[in-house]
Amino acid sequence: MKVYDFTLPQIEYYRTFCNFEEKEAALFELRRQNIPLERCAEILQYEDIKNLSRRVNKKVIQMTNKERMEEWIEHVYWKNVIQNQ
């Protein structure tokens, strides 16, 4: 899964709905920046990075519902972006 290919609205959707634990969220953010998994392990000082990556991927896959995501982006994300400008 290539997190760095996600759009900003998609990133926000996953941040909102995936219920990432602290290490999972940190890995998600690092992978979003296209940092290799081995480097993420060094940065996070986490030995079992592949297992952590699998958990993150599993949560992202579970929350991937194109219709639900598009509806949330249209009705929530863009509304918040416009209000905060």
Side-chain angles (χ1 to χ4, degrees):
M1 179 171 314
K2 297 179 181 176
V3 178
Y4 55 86
D5 284 340
F6 292 161
T7 65
L8 187 55
Q10 291 171 324
I11 295 289
E12 287 300 324
Y13 174 84
Y14 290 121
R15 282 179 183 152
T16 302
F17 292 105
C18 283
N19 195 29
F20 291 130
E21 296 174 0
E22 185 178 339
K23 288 280 187 186
E24 293 169 343
L27 178 60
F28 184 78
E29 295 304 322
L30 290 170
R31 296 297 287 154
R32 187 173 76 83
Q33 298 170 40
N34 199 18
I35 295 175
L37 202 53
E38 296 77 22
R39 180 71 181 121
C40 292
E42 293 171 7
I43 293 169
L44 297 174
Q45 298 177 349
Y46 198 81
E47 292 182 21
D48 196 7
I49 198 72
K50 289 186 180 189
N51 187 38
L52 182 63
S53 180
R54 279 189 217 106
R55 288 196 329 249
V56 169
N57 290 344
K58 182 179 177 184
K59 288 182 178 186
V60 167
I61 289 167
Q62 287 175 336
M63 292 311 303
T64 300
N65 176 314
K66 185 170 173 59
E67 290 176 16
R68 180 178 176 188
M69 181 187 296
E70 287 176 356
E71 181 179 321
W72 181 85
I73 289 170
E74 180 70 27
H75 298 290
V76 178
Y77 177 80
W78 289 119
K79 182 180 177 181
N80 289 339
V81 168
I82 291 169
Q83 286 178 351
N84 290 329
Q85 287 185 353

